[in-house]
Amino acid sequence: MRVVLKVGSSSLTTPDGHLDPDRIGTVVDAVVAVRARGDEVVLVSSGAIAAGLGPLALPNRPRDLPTQQAAAAVGQRALIAHYSEAFAAAGLIVGQVLLTVEDVTRRSHYRNARQTFAKLLELGVVPVVNENDTVATSEIRFGDNDRLAALVAHLVHADELILLSDVDGLYTAHPDLPGSRPIATVSSDADLEGIDVARVGSAVGTGGMVTKIEAARIATAAGIPVRLTSAARAIEAVEGQPVGTRFNPTGKRRATRLLWLAHASETRGRLLLDDGARRALVERGASLLAAGIVAVEGEFSAADPVDVIGPDGALVARGIVNYDSQELPEMLGRSTSELAATMGADHDRAVIHRDDLVLMS
């Protein structure tokens, strides 16, 4: 069995932003428990920026990106040092893995990241994952480690994702409000109707319950169950006890390429379809041909991910395009046989093959 365990900043630090060795120890104990039963575990850990607040005498999490990156550069060292020391006491080796969005959005990077995780786990190492905040830009970043954890769960083909927070599960409203009730199981979006989760995260983190629900949706759509509970109940969670909230799988495991397309790809452009092409994709599972495309937006190269948009402006699909954006305009509305006859046999192929396309609606 392979488990991805994610812990947030507020579960690892004191209110003033310093790392708390006891809290880190609780997470380490949970990881050790997983390894002791012979299973593999990947730890996705926030805390780098929070850990840098104290040494830099910053009273609160900075809002501007340069200061966040400076705090991360200082705090990441402290965070991994604490983990290395704690895991070494249990006879385990830690491997630090810092990811950027490019590592899970570009197919070649994604493949390399997957191979790195596979080798680390094969060697018995505990991968400790975080976003590489020191180099991420405001435009290109995960934004929170809940989503990162869900994508890592996809990447390593995890059997379970456990999200550890400062609350012990999902509630119908803020846990402090009168009448708020815990929710034991979520099997579909219908179970979330009427639930108020719109609240900000802690002073040292970026996530809240909204991001955790989004992460659960991503993981469960690929057949990966999710357990949400507090870091204090981490041992119970990894032991399979019914703590917190369980999100049941809503979909089936899919090819890694399709998971990447659906949830991790940063698209480079858009292809706008006529209604006939939209129906062909949605109802018949067809490939996307130039004849059904009415417009091209953005600049992209062959093998880049692009969004496929219906006549009503809604996102229909996402796929890997076979042509550069500069090539497509003169191909629009023309059949593949016509294109092959006038532009060469190399154009007798789909703009996006159905094996490289995933429906998004």
Side-chain angles (χ1 to χ4, degrees), residues 272-289 292-293 308-317 357 359 361:
L272 280 58
L273 310 186
D274 61 26
D275 193 56
R278 183 197 63 80
R279 290 198 310 270
L281 296 185
V282 175
E283 299 174 9
R284 302 202 305 272
S287 297
L288 177 60
L289 306 180
I293 303 174
V308 179
I309 309 298
D312 59 355
L315 176 64
V316 174
L357 183 144
L359 296 177
S361 59

PDB file of all heavy atoms in Angstrom, residues 272-289 292-293 308-317 357 359 361:
ATOM      1  N   LEU A 272     -11.372  26.627 -30.372  1.00  0.00           N
ATOM      2  CA  LEU A 272     -12.819  26.855 -30.303  1.00  0.00           C
ATOM      3  C   LEU A 272     -13.520  26.005 -31.360  1.00  0.00           C
ATOM      4  O   LEU A 272     -13.130  26.020 -32.541  1.00  0.00           O
ATOM      5  CB  LEU A 272     -13.128  28.332 -30.532  1.00  0.00           C
ATOM      6  CG  LEU A 272     -12.944  29.273 -29.328  1.00  0.00           C
ATOM      7  CD1 LEU A 272     -11.529  29.238 -28.789  1.00  0.00           C
ATOM      8  CD2 LEU A 272     -13.316  30.703 -29.706  1.00  0.00           C
ATOM      9  N   LEU A 273     -14.544  25.260 -30.942  1.00  0.00           N
ATOM     10  CA  LEU A 273     -15.199  24.277 -31.794  1.00  0.00           C
ATOM     11  C   LEU A 273     -16.561  24.741 -32.277  1.00  0.00           C
ATOM     12  O   LEU A 273     -17.212  25.579 -31.647  1.00  0.00           O
ATOM     13  CB  LEU A 273     -15.401  22.961 -31.026  1.00  0.00           C
ATOM     14  CG  LEU A 273     -14.225  22.343 -30.284  1.00  0.00           C
ATOM     15  CD1 LEU A 273     -14.630  21.004 -29.729  1.00  0.00           C
ATOM     16  CD2 LEU A 273     -13.017  22.230 -31.188  1.00  0.00           C
ATOM     17  N   ASP A 274     -17.009  24.117 -33.375  1.00  0.00           N
ATOM     18  CA  ASP A 274     -18.415  24.240 -33.739  1.00  0.00           C
ATOM     19  C   ASP A 274     -19.188  23.131 -33.019  1.00  0.00           C
ATOM     20  O   ASP A 274     -18.595  22.263 -32.364  1.00  0.00           O
ATOM     21  CB  ASP A 274     -18.623  24.175 -35.258  1.00  0.00           C
ATOM     22  CG  ASP A 274     -18.162  22.867 -35.892  1.00  0.00           C
ATOM     23  OD1 ASP A 274     -18.136  21.826 -35.195  1.00  0.00           O
ATOM     24  OD2 ASP A 274     -17.832  22.870 -37.090  1.00  0.00           O
ATOM     25  N   ASP A 275     -20.506  23.155 -33.098  1.00  0.00           N
ATOM     26  CA  ASP A 275     -21.299  22.219 -32.311  1.00  0.00           C
ATOM     27  C   ASP A 275     -21.137  20.782 -32.785  1.00  0.00           C
ATOM     28  O   ASP A 275     -21.198  19.847 -31.988  1.00  0.00           O
ATOM     29  CB  ASP A 275     -22.776  22.610 -32.349  1.00  0.00           C
ATOM     30  CG  ASP A 275     -23.589  21.866 -31.296  1.00  0.00           C
ATOM     31  OD1 ASP A 275     -23.214  21.967 -30.099  1.00  0.00           O
ATOM     32  OD2 ASP A 275     -24.551  21.167 -31.656  1.00  0.00           O
ATOM     33  N   GLY A 276     -20.905  20.606 -34.061  1.00  0.00           N
ATOM     34  CA  GLY A 276     -20.709  19.255 -34.568  1.00  0.00           C
ATOM     35  C   GLY A 276     -19.471  18.602 -33.982  1.00  0.00           C
ATOM     36  O   GLY A 276     -19.495  17.422 -33.600  1.00  0.00           O
ATOM     37  N   ALA A 277     -18.395  19.366 -33.895  1.00  0.00           N
ATOM     38  CA  ALA A 277     -17.167  18.831 -33.313  1.00  0.00           C
ATOM     39  C   ALA A 277     -17.346  18.558 -31.825  1.00  0.00           C
ATOM     40  O   ALA A 277     -16.844  17.558 -31.296  1.00  0.00           O
ATOM     41  CB  ALA A 277     -16.017  19.813 -33.543  1.00  0.00           C
ATOM     42  N   ARG A 278     -18.063  19.451 -31.143  1.00  0.00           N
ATOM     43  CA  ARG A 278     -18.310  19.223 -29.717  1.00  0.00           C
ATOM     44  C   ARG A 278     -19.055  17.911 -29.504  1.00  0.00           C
ATOM     45  O   ARG A 278     -18.698  17.117 -28.634  1.00  0.00           O
ATOM     46  CB  ARG A 278     -19.120  20.387 -29.141  1.00  0.00           C
ATOM     47  CG  ARG A 278     -19.378  20.274 -27.630  1.00  0.00           C
ATOM     48  CD  ARG A 278     -20.492  21.193 -27.186  1.00  0.00           C
ATOM     49  NE  ARG A 278     -21.767  20.831 -27.812  1.00  0.00           N
ATOM     50  CZ  ARG A 278     -22.541  19.837 -27.395  1.00  0.00           C
ATOM     51  NH1 ARG A 278     -22.179  19.066 -26.378  1.00  0.00           N
ATOM     52  NH2 ARG A 278     -23.683  19.591 -28.022  1.00  0.00           N
ATOM     53  N   ARG A 279     -20.108  17.670 -30.305  1.00  0.00           N
ATOM     54  CA  ARG A 279     -20.871  16.428 -30.160  1.00  0.00           C
ATOM     55  C   ARG A 279     -20.017  15.214 -30.481  1.00  0.00           C
ATOM     56  O   ARG A 279     -20.129  14.165 -29.827  1.00  0.00           O
ATOM     57  CB  ARG A 279     -22.100  16.466 -31.066  1.00  0.00           C
ATOM     58  CG  ARG A 279     -23.172  17.454 -30.630  1.00  0.00           C
ATOM     59  CD  ARG A 279     -24.522  17.135 -31.276  1.00  0.00           C
ATOM     60  NE  ARG A 279     -24.392  16.963 -32.713  1.00  0.00           N
ATOM     61  CZ  ARG A 279     -24.511  17.937 -33.608  1.00  0.00           C
ATOM     62  NH1 ARG A 279     -24.729  19.180 -33.181  1.00  0.00           N
ATOM     63  NH2 ARG A 279     -24.394  17.697 -34.896  1.00  0.00           N
ATOM     64  N   ALA A 280     -19.152  15.322 -31.470  1.00  0.00           N
ATOM     65  CA  ALA A 280     -18.290  14.208 -31.843  1.00  0.00           C
ATOM     66  C   ALA A 280     -17.367  13.810 -30.692  1.00  0.00           C
ATOM     67  O   ALA A 280     -17.142  12.625 -30.433  1.00  0.00           O
ATOM     68  CB  ALA A 280     -17.473  14.565 -33.087  1.00  0.00           C
ATOM     69  N   LEU A 281     -16.850  14.810 -29.991  1.00  0.00           N
ATOM     70  CA  LEU A 281     -15.971  14.526 -28.854  1.00  0.00           C
ATOM     71  C   LEU A 281     -16.749  13.930 -27.688  1.00  0.00           C
ATOM     72  O   LEU A 281     -16.352  12.915 -27.107  1.00  0.00           O
ATOM     73  CB  LEU A 281     -15.262  15.801 -28.394  1.00  0.00           C
ATOM     74  CG  LEU A 281     -14.301  16.488 -29.354  1.00  0.00           C
ATOM     75  CD1 LEU A 281     -13.619  17.659 -28.652  1.00  0.00           C
ATOM     76  CD2 LEU A 281     -13.266  15.526 -29.891  1.00  0.00           C
ATOM     77  N   VAL A 282     -17.861  14.563 -27.331  1.00  0.00           N
ATOM     78  CA  VAL A 282     -18.594  14.199 -26.121  1.00  0.00           C
ATOM     79  C   VAL A 282     -19.411  12.926 -26.305  1.00  0.00           C
ATOM     80  O   VAL A 282     -19.429  12.056 -25.427  1.00  0.00           O
ATOM     81  CB  VAL A 282     -19.515  15.362 -25.689  1.00  0.00           C
ATOM     82  CG1 VAL A 282     -20.382  14.955 -24.511  1.00  0.00           C
ATOM     83  CG2 VAL A 282     -18.685  16.595 -25.342  1.00  0.00           C
ATOM     84  N   GLU A 283     -20.082  12.796 -27.449  1.00  0.00           N
ATOM     85  CA  GLU A 283     -21.013  11.685 -27.634  1.00  0.00           C
ATOM     86  C   GLU A 283     -20.380  10.467 -28.289  1.00  0.00           C
ATOM     87  O   GLU A 283     -20.814   9.339 -28.045  1.00  0.00           O
ATOM     88  CB  GLU A 283     -22.211  12.154 -28.468  1.00  0.00           C
ATOM     89  CG  GLU A 283     -23.004  13.282 -27.800  1.00  0.00           C
ATOM     90  CD  GLU A 283     -24.088  13.841 -28.702  1.00  0.00           C
ATOM     91  OE1 GLU A 283     -24.350  13.250 -29.778  1.00  0.00           O
ATOM     92  OE2 GLU A 283     -24.690  14.876 -28.333  1.00  0.00           O
ATOM     93  N   ARG A 284     -19.373  10.670 -29.142  1.00  0.00           N
ATOM     94  CA  ARG A 284     -18.801   9.542 -29.865  1.00  0.00           C
ATOM     95  C   ARG A 284     -17.372   9.227 -29.469  1.00  0.00           C
ATOM     96  O   ARG A 284     -16.802   8.253 -29.956  1.00  0.00           O
ATOM     97  CB  ARG A 284     -18.867   9.805 -31.375  1.00  0.00           C
ATOM     98  CG  ARG A 284     -20.277  10.057 -31.902  1.00  0.00           C
ATOM     99  CD  ARG A 284     -20.354   9.781 -33.402  1.00  0.00           C
ATOM    100  NE  ARG A 284     -19.373  10.542 -34.166  1.00  0.00           N
ATOM    101  CZ  ARG A 284     -19.589  11.775 -34.642  1.00  0.00           C
ATOM    102  NH1 ARG A 284     -20.739  12.384 -34.396  1.00  0.00           N
ATOM    103  NH2 ARG A 284     -18.670  12.392 -35.352  1.00  0.00           N
ATOM    104  N   GLY A 285     -16.781  10.038 -28.610  1.00  0.00           N
ATOM    105  CA  GLY A 285     -15.399   9.789 -28.213  1.00  0.00           C
ATOM    106  C   GLY A 285     -14.432   9.905 -29.366  1.00  0.00           C
ATOM    107  O   GLY A 285     -13.428   9.184 -29.427  1.00  0.00           O
ATOM    108  N   ALA A 286     -14.711  10.810 -30.300  1.00  0.00           N
ATOM    109  CA  ALA A 286     -13.891  10.953 -31.499  1.00  0.00           C
ATOM    110  C   ALA A 286     -12.649  11.799 -31.231  1.00  0.00           C
ATOM    111  O   ALA A 286     -12.541  12.494 -30.215  1.00  0.00           O
ATOM    112  CB  ALA A 286     -14.721  11.601 -32.606  1.00  0.00           C
ATOM    113  N   SER A 287     -11.718  11.739 -32.172  1.00  0.00           N
ATOM    114  CA  SER A 287     -10.578  12.647 -32.153  1.00  0.00           C
ATOM    115  C   SER A 287     -11.035  14.018 -32.652  1.00  0.00           C
ATOM    116  O   SER A 287     -12.075  14.148 -33.300  1.00  0.00           O
ATOM    117  CB  SER A 287      -9.462  12.115 -33.054  1.00  0.00           C
ATOM    118  OG  SER A 287      -8.965  10.870 -32.585  1.00  0.00           O
ATOM    119  N   LEU A 288     -10.256  15.046 -32.359  1.00  0.00           N
ATOM    120  CA  LEU A 288     -10.583  16.390 -32.811  1.00  0.00           C
ATOM    121  C   LEU A 288      -9.904  16.657 -34.146  1.00  0.00           C
ATOM    122  O   LEU A 288      -8.669  16.600 -34.247  1.00  0.00           O
ATOM    123  CB  LEU A 288     -10.138  17.433 -31.783  1.00  0.00           C
ATOM    124  CG  LEU A 288     -10.368  18.893 -32.183  1.00  0.00           C
ATOM    125  CD1 LEU A 288     -11.853  19.168 -32.432  1.00  0.00           C
ATOM    126  CD2 LEU A 288      -9.827  19.834 -31.110  1.00  0.00           C
ATOM    127  N   LEU A 289     -10.706  16.944 -35.167  1.00  0.00           N
ATOM    128  CA  LEU A 289     -10.197  17.215 -36.504  1.00  0.00           C
ATOM    129  C   LEU A 289     -10.260  18.708 -36.798  1.00  0.00           C
ATOM    130  O   LEU A 289     -11.061  19.450 -36.219  1.00  0.00           O
ATOM    131  CB  LEU A 289     -11.012  16.444 -37.544  1.00  0.00           C
ATOM    132  CG  LEU A 289     -11.132  14.932 -37.317  1.00  0.00           C
ATOM    133  CD1 LEU A 289     -11.970  14.297 -38.412  1.00  0.00           C
ATOM    134  CD2 LEU A 289      -9.757  14.283 -37.229  1.00  0.00           C
ATOM    135  N   GLY A 292     -13.634  20.767 -37.567  1.00  0.00           N
ATOM    136  CA  GLY A 292     -14.575  21.226 -36.560  1.00  0.00           C
ATOM    137  C   GLY A 292     -14.091  22.386 -35.718  1.00  0.00           C
ATOM    138  O   GLY A 292     -14.766  22.805 -34.776  1.00  0.00           O
ATOM    139  N   ILE A 293     -12.909  22.933 -36.030  1.00  0.00           N
ATOM    140  CA  ILE A 293     -12.339  24.043 -35.260  1.00  0.00           C
ATOM    141  C   ILE A 293     -12.626  25.351 -35.983  1.00  0.00           C
ATOM    142  O   ILE A 293     -12.382  25.483 -37.185  1.00  0.00           O
ATOM    143  CB  ILE A 293     -10.825  23.866 -35.070  1.00  0.00           C
ATOM    144  CG1 ILE A 293     -10.530  22.519 -34.393  1.00  0.00           C
ATOM    145  CG2 ILE A 293     -10.245  25.008 -34.239  1.00  0.00           C
ATOM    146  CD1 ILE A 293      -9.047  22.194 -34.299  1.00  0.00           C
ATOM    147  N   VAL A 308     -10.053  22.866 -25.012  1.00  0.00           N
ATOM    148  CA  VAL A 308     -10.980  22.743 -26.127  1.00  0.00           C
ATOM    149  C   VAL A 308     -12.312  23.326 -25.675  1.00  0.00           C
ATOM    150  O   VAL A 308     -12.903  22.853 -24.697  1.00  0.00           O
ATOM    151  CB  VAL A 308     -11.135  21.272 -26.553  1.00  0.00           C
ATOM    152  CG1 VAL A 308     -12.130  21.137 -27.695  1.00  0.00           C
ATOM    153  CG2 VAL A 308      -9.774  20.693 -26.955  1.00  0.00           C
ATOM    154  N   ILE A 309     -12.784  24.359 -26.376  1.00  0.00           N
ATOM    155  CA  ILE A 309     -13.925  25.163 -25.942  1.00  0.00           C
ATOM    156  C   ILE A 309     -15.107  24.983 -26.893  1.00  0.00           C
ATOM    157  O   ILE A 309     -14.944  25.028 -28.120  1.00  0.00           O
ATOM    158  CB  ILE A 309     -13.546  26.655 -25.875  1.00  0.00           C
ATOM    159  CG1 ILE A 309     -12.261  26.846 -25.050  1.00  0.00           C
ATOM    160  CG2 ILE A 309     -14.690  27.475 -25.310  1.00  0.00           C
ATOM    161  CD1 ILE A 309     -12.379  26.410 -23.602  1.00  0.00           C
ATOM    162  N   GLY A 310     -16.299  24.784 -26.329  1.00  0.00           N
ATOM    163  CA  GLY A 310     -17.500  24.617 -27.121  1.00  0.00           C
ATOM    164  C   GLY A 310     -18.065  25.946 -27.600  1.00  0.00           C
ATOM    165  O   GLY A 310     -17.603  27.022 -27.208  1.00  0.00           O
ATOM    166  N   PRO A 311     -19.103  25.893 -28.448  1.00  0.00           N
ATOM    167  CA  PRO A 311     -19.717  27.127 -28.995  1.00  0.00           C
ATOM    168  C   PRO A 311     -20.273  28.048 -27.920  1.00  0.00           C
ATOM    169  O   PRO A 311     -20.378  29.257 -28.128  1.00  0.00           O
ATOM    170  CB  PRO A 311     -20.840  26.586 -29.889  1.00  0.00           C
ATOM    171  CG  PRO A 311     -20.481  25.178 -30.183  1.00  0.00           C
ATOM    172  CD  PRO A 311     -19.743  24.680 -28.985  1.00  0.00           C
ATOM    173  N   ASP A 312     -20.634  27.487 -26.756  1.00  0.00           N
ATOM    174  CA  ASP A 312     -21.191  28.302 -25.681  1.00  0.00           C
ATOM    175  C   ASP A 312     -20.119  28.874 -24.757  1.00  0.00           C
ATOM    176  O   ASP A 312     -20.429  29.519 -23.755  1.00  0.00           O
ATOM    177  CB  ASP A 312     -22.187  27.476 -24.863  1.00  0.00           C
ATOM    178  CG  ASP A 312     -21.552  26.237 -24.237  1.00  0.00           C
ATOM    179  OD1 ASP A 312     -20.359  25.953 -24.519  1.00  0.00           O
ATOM    180  OD2 ASP A 312     -22.257  25.532 -23.478  1.00  0.00           O
ATOM    181  N   GLY A 313     -18.848  28.639 -25.070  1.00  0.00           N
ATOM    182  CA  GLY A 313     -17.755  29.155 -24.254  1.00  0.00           C
ATOM    183  C   GLY A 313     -17.350  28.248 -23.112  1.00  0.00           C
ATOM    184  O   GLY A 313     -16.424  28.568 -22.365  1.00  0.00           O
ATOM    185  N   ALA A 314     -18.015  27.111 -22.951  1.00  0.00           N
ATOM    186  CA  ALA A 314     -17.715  26.188 -21.861  1.00  0.00           C
ATOM    187  C   ALA A 314     -16.530  25.283 -22.223  1.00  0.00           C
ATOM    188  O   ALA A 314     -16.345  24.919 -23.393  1.00  0.00           O
ATOM    189  CB  ALA A 314     -18.940  25.338 -21.538  1.00  0.00           C
ATOM    190  N   LEU A 315     -15.755  24.931 -21.203  1.00  0.00           N
ATOM    191  CA  LEU A 315     -14.636  24.009 -21.390  1.00  0.00           C
ATOM    192  C   LEU A 315     -15.173  22.608 -21.663  1.00  0.00           C
ATOM    193  O   LEU A 315     -15.907  22.051 -20.852  1.00  0.00           O
ATOM    194  CB  LEU A 315     -13.742  24.007 -20.148  1.00  0.00           C
ATOM    195  CG  LEU A 315     -12.564  23.027 -20.142  1.00  0.00           C
ATOM    196  CD1 LEU A 315     -11.572  23.373 -21.250  1.00  0.00           C
ATOM    197  CD2 LEU A 315     -11.864  23.046 -18.778  1.00  0.00           C
ATOM    198  N   VAL A 316     -14.822  22.047 -22.796  1.00  0.00           N
ATOM    199  CA  VAL A 316     -15.292  20.714 -23.189  1.00  0.00           C
ATOM    200  C   VAL A 316     -14.250  19.645 -22.879  1.00  0.00           C
ATOM    201  O   VAL A 316     -14.555  18.575 -22.349  1.00  0.00           O
ATOM    202  CB  VAL A 316     -15.640  20.680 -24.693  1.00  0.00           C
ATOM    203  CG1 VAL A 316     -16.000  19.258 -25.134  1.00  0.00           C
ATOM    204  CG2 VAL A 316     -16.765  21.640 -25.000  1.00  0.00           C
ATOM    205  N   ALA A 317     -13.011  19.932 -23.212  1.00  0.00           N
ATOM    206  CA  ALA A 317     -11.965  18.922 -23.077  1.00  0.00           C
ATOM    207  C   ALA A 317     -10.612  19.606 -22.980  1.00  0.00           C
ATOM    208  O   ALA A 317     -10.480  20.834 -23.136  1.00  0.00           O
ATOM    209  CB  ALA A 317     -11.997  17.963 -24.267  1.00  0.00           C
ATOM    210  N   LEU A 357      -6.674  13.053 -25.207  1.00  0.00           N
ATOM    211  CA  LEU A 357      -7.723  14.019 -24.900  1.00  0.00           C
ATOM    212  C   LEU A 357      -8.576  13.505 -23.741  1.00  0.00           C
ATOM    213  O   LEU A 357      -8.887  12.315 -23.673  1.00  0.00           O
ATOM    214  CB  LEU A 357      -8.591  14.242 -26.152  1.00  0.00           C
ATOM    215  CG  LEU A 357      -9.707  15.273 -26.078  1.00  0.00           C
ATOM    216  CD1 LEU A 357      -9.826  15.981 -27.430  1.00  0.00           C
ATOM    217  CD2 LEU A 357     -11.033  14.609 -25.738  1.00  0.00           C
ATOM    218  N   LEU A 359     -12.127  14.502 -21.502  1.00  0.00           N
ATOM    219  CA  LEU A 359     -13.308  15.351 -21.379  1.00  0.00           C
ATOM    220  C   LEU A 359     -13.331  16.000 -20.005  1.00  0.00           C
ATOM    221  O   LEU A 359     -13.020  15.366 -18.995  1.00  0.00           O
ATOM    222  CB  LEU A 359     -14.590  14.542 -21.602  1.00  0.00           C
ATOM    223  CG  LEU A 359     -14.766  13.933 -22.995  1.00  0.00           C
ATOM    224  CD1 LEU A 359     -16.043  13.103 -23.043  1.00  0.00           C
ATOM    225  CD2 LEU A 359     -14.791  15.023 -24.070  1.00  0.00           C
ATOM    226  N   SER A 361     -16.140  17.972 -18.887  1.00  0.00           N
ATOM    227  CA  SER A 361     -17.493  18.310 -18.450  1.00  0.00           C
ATOM    228  C   SER A 361     -18.369  17.082 -18.445  1.00  0.00           C
ATOM    229  O   SER A 361     -17.967  16.017 -18.871  1.00  0.00           O
ATOM    230  CB  SER A 361     -18.074  19.382 -19.368  1.00  0.00           C
ATOM    231  OG  SER A 361     -18.117  18.934 -20.699  1.00  0.00           O
TER     232      SER A 361
END
